[in-house]
């Protein structure tokens, strides 16, 4: 079950669906999932509750987007059914992932995440004639997640191939330049927490292809 509530939200409506086109006010999503044991061969029974709050704010300083997500899984389930936080070990930037977290690094059954992105538009680069002509844009972002894993699900990590309980906070920050040749973006990012491991990347430069016309 899923429901969405956005006061004053605007949509583009076609014959078959509608697509949100304005997010000036907060948009709240609430979801609930129930998986019963024994149905269609299921071996586990669990409940998942999720809440997501997002908004896009435009001011004289640029455009800010935030996303707050929280959730909890009730029940004892193996790690593929838990919340495996999305990492990214490639050289390409992924908007909906933690770009300095390894793939399959952290897992939880209770979590809260905060993502913040601010695009300055032309606030700074337009002050430099060459950069203004190139229409470059700069931005900053921060992503963080806090989580824990219940004792009931700790035992499943023994066969999870290196997955770990986050048991604390993971955070990364970065800055980037957009609209390079109206095609590319480049991001510079730093991992702020969970830095005491040997197989991690603490700083990276990643790229994103985003044509702009």
């Amino acid at each position: 079950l899923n429901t969405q509530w956005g006061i004053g939200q605007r949509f583009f409506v076609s014959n078959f669906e509608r697509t949100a086109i304005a997010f000036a006010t907060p948009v709240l999503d609430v979801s609930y999932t129930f998986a019963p044991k024994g149905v269609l061969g299921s071996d586990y029974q669990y409940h998942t509750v999720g809440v997501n709050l997002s908004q896009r704010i435009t001011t004289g300083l640029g455009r800010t987007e935030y996303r707050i997500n929280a959730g909890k899984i009730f029940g004892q389930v193996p790690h593929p059914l838990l919340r495996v936080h999305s990492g990214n070990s490639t050289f390409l930037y992924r908007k909906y992932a933690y770009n300095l977290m390894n793939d399959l690094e952290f897992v939880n059954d209770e979590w809260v995440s905060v993502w913040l992105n601010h695009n300055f538009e032309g606030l700074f680069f337009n002050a430099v004639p060459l950069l203004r002509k190139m229409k470059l844009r700069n931005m900053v972002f921060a992503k963080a997640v806090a989580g824990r894993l219940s004792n009931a699900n700790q035992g499943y990590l023994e066969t999870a191939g290196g997955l770990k309980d986050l048991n604390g906070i993971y955070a990364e920050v970065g800055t980037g330049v957009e609209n390079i040749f109206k095609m590319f973006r480049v991001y510079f990012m730093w991992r702020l927490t969970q830095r005491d491991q040997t197989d991690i990347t603490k700083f990276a430069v990643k790229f994103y292809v985003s044509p702009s016309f």
Side-chain angles (χ1 to χ4, degrees), residues 74-91:
F74 300 88
Q76 188 173 7
V77 294
H79 69 271
L81 298 178
L82 296 173
R83 177 73 169 202
V84 181
H85 301 292
S86 298
N88 179 20
S89 299
T90 73
F91 66 91

Side-chain angles (χ1 to χ4, degrees), residues 90-109:
T90 73
F91 66 91
L92 295 176
Y93 178 84
R94 289 174 54 196
K95 181 178 181 179
Y96 297 108
Y98 298 96
N99 285 277
L100 290 180
M101 181 187 292
N102 293 331
D103 295 316
L104 303 177
E105 183 174 356
F106 293 118
V107 63
N108 291 119
D109 55 19

